[in-house]
Amino acid sequence: MPAELATTIAGLIKAEPRGDVVARALDSIRTHLGMDVAFVSEIVGDRVVFRTVDAPGLGEFIKPGDSHALDDVFCGHILAGRLPELMPDTAAEPLAAAMPGALAIPIGRHMSVPLRRADGSTYGMFCCLGQVADPTLSGRDLAMMRVFADLAEFEINREHAARAIVDDRRNRITSVMSDDAMTIVYQPIWNLVTMAPVGCECLSRFASWPSYGPDHWFAEAAAAGLGTALEIAAIHRGLAGLAAFPDMAYLSVNASPATVLSGELDSAFAGVPVDRIVLEITEHDLIVDYSAMTQALRPLRRAGLRLAVDDAGAGYASLHHILDLRPDLIKLDMHLTRGIDEDRARQALTGAIAGFARDIGSLLIAEGVETSAELATLRALGIELAQGYHLGRPMPLDHAAALFENGRPALAAA
């Protein structure tokens, strides 16, 4: 094997993505063999469909997406054993010579080997052809072409495996949305001065198999390209309970930056009093363009929508969110809340964040309050709002609505 060809093969093995690998493999073997056309085809039913084509100057005659009846091209007869994989001179093969020119160009020489799926079935063909015969082509050339065909076959199977994973994810997410396997629970948010409920956060729960937590389902939906669809479905279901609460109460819903930028929030909030909605954006989601986010949110915020930044104090991203989005509410990360009554450093940082929030006109919400001691410390630090298991676990809609009638939290045991 020539050194430059070995280098090309090594590069192809490392190349990404798959389309580049296959295209470069076709270009390399076509150039090495002095052919006019190289392509990878897929057999779909009784037809051959060209998937990747390398045909400089001949694009009008053969291009990706073109298809032909299997019996009208050499590939079908090669697979059936009626024609050989290597034909230095197609005129020397009676069957090939008698076939009409399906590709609209003369085929004087032809080489083709099958590509197999992981299960052993035939995917299609890896082919090279030239317009004039070449009697110097030999079995060595065919063996070389098989090396490149193997690379293409590996990449095609890898892509199909990845696609199968994505399809499986999409099917699961679609099933979750269509089978009502996703339900909404409401966790109350309390005013720590009056100890009265002011709103609830809408949280998704999934009853489908496999039994994963909400974070997993939303991450899987995003990986399958359905992140926005699942988030919008959750928002719709959460806001459907708004009428059960008094007019002074708000509901908080979650949306990723991708969903905000998708433009789908307008339809999700249609017909709902926007001034009773808080939109939470977590610090874990990357925001590439804050100006685009601000522009997308501006009409809704003008209509009364309030914005919350989640997990303040958990990382650098939350600080960026606060500075660039100027939220109405800042949610204190639960890792700061946990054990705050026994940790002066947590108290100092929380006090600093609370002062910062007041300076920019934001309210601070402490998340994850689990004990009476934590609650007392947060009240002493001047934290305005809080939520957590000590104040109320996520609960069904009717239980959450009943809290606003009673006006006092049923505090859990410390």
Side-chain angles (χ1 to χ4, degrees), residues 6-363:
T7 300
T8 297
I9 292 174
L12 287 171
I13 292 173
K14 297 178 181 179
E16 289 289 347
R18 168 250 156 174
D20 290 343
V21 173
V22 176
R24 288 174 60 194
L26 289 172
D27 175 72
S28 297
I29 194 62
R30 183 192 59 76
T31 302
H32 175 69
L33 297 177
M35 296 289 197
D36 299 313
V37 175
F39 62 84
V40 164
S41 66
E42 181 182 3
I43 296 173
V44 181
D46 60 355
R47 299 189 69 80
V48 171
V49 182
F50 299 133
R51 295 305 186 194
T52 308
V53 177
D54 184 66
L58 297 172
E60 62 182 297
F61 301 107
I62 178 172
K63 58 186 180 296
D66 288 349
S67 70
H68 300 278
L70 196 56
D71 290 338
D72 291 344
V73 292
F74 293 163
C75 294
H77 298 286
I78 293 170
L79 278 174
R82 292 187 290 268
L83 285 174
E85 293 179 346
L86 170 63
M87 291 184 282
D89 183 357
T90 58
E93 297 289 340
L95 176 58
M99 291 177 61
L103 299 184
I105 57 173
I107 303 176
R109 60 192 186 278
H110 190 279
M111 297 171 63
S112 184
V113 295
L115 299 171
R116 306 289 182 186
R117 297 186 180 90
D119 62 4
S121 63
T122 300
Y123 168 81
M125 303 294 283
F126 189 98
C127 299
C128 285
L129 59 91
Q131 297 182 74
V132 297
D134 181 359
T136 67
L137 290 176
S138 66
R140 183 177 179 181
D141 295 314
L142 184 62
M144 178 61 67
M145 193 173 81
R146 283 200 177 99
V147 172
F148 284 88
D150 286 346
L151 286 171
E153 182 179 86
F154 175 82
E155 292 299 323
I156 290 169
N157 283 323
R158 184 166 70 170
E159 181 189 71
H160 282 202
R163 188 182 303 159
I165 292 173
V166 172
D167 288 345
D168 182 58
R169 283 174 175 166
R170 292 181 67 88
N171 290 337
R172 288 202 302 269
I173 299 302
T174 301
S175 177
V176 162
M177 291 189 290
S178 62
D179 295 344
D180 289 330
M182 177 177 67
T183 58
I184 302 298
V185 291
Y186 299 81
Q187 185 171 35
I189 300 167
W190 298 85
N191 182 308
L192 297 190
V193 176
T194 64
M195 289 310 295
V198 294
C200 287
E201 181 178 1
C202 302
L203 299 169
S204 300
R205 296 292 182 264
F206 297 87
S208 59
W209 181 258
S211 181
Y212 294 134
D215 288 348
H216 177 96
W217 281 108
F218 282 102
E220 187 160 279
L226 292 173
T228 292
L230 186 59
E231 289 181 16
I232 294 297
I235 290 172
H236 273 298
R237 295 180 190 187
L239 295 182
L242 187 61
F245 297 93
D247 291 344
M248 48 71 63
Y250 72 83
L251 290 183
S252 181
V253 295
N254 295 272
S256 66
T259 295
V260 173
L261 294 174
S262 72
E264 297 293 330
L265 286 178
D266 290 342
S267 61
F269 296 154
V272 178
V274 180
D275 59 348
R276 293 181 61 195
I277 301 172
V278 170
L279 180 68
E280 290 190 27
I281 299 175
T282 68
E283 73 97 17
H284 304 294
D285 295 308
L286 178 66
I287 296 179
V288 177
D289 188 344
Y290 280 97
S291 63
M293 282 284 293
T294 300
Q295 184 175 353
L297 290 167
R298 184 175 292 119
L300 290 169
R301 297 188 77 176
R302 285 176 176 170
L305 177 77
R306 286 181 291 169
L307 187 67
V309 166
D310 203 2
D311 298 342
Y316 182 66
S318 63
L319 180 60
H320 265 295
H321 287 10
I322 293 169
L323 293 176
D324 291 308
L325 296 179
R326 301 300 172 94
D328 304 282
L329 299 101
I330 299 173
K331 303 196 75 173
L332 190 68
D333 183 69
M334 66 176 60
H335 293 295
L336 281 178
T337 303
R338 301 282 169 80
I340 192 171
D341 54 301
E342 299 177 344
D343 191 326
R344 295 182 66 85
R346 280 182 165 83
Q347 294 171 26
L349 180 54
T350 298
I353 295 174
F356 173 73
R358 285 191 291 270
D359 287 345
I360 64 172
S362 298
L363 290 175

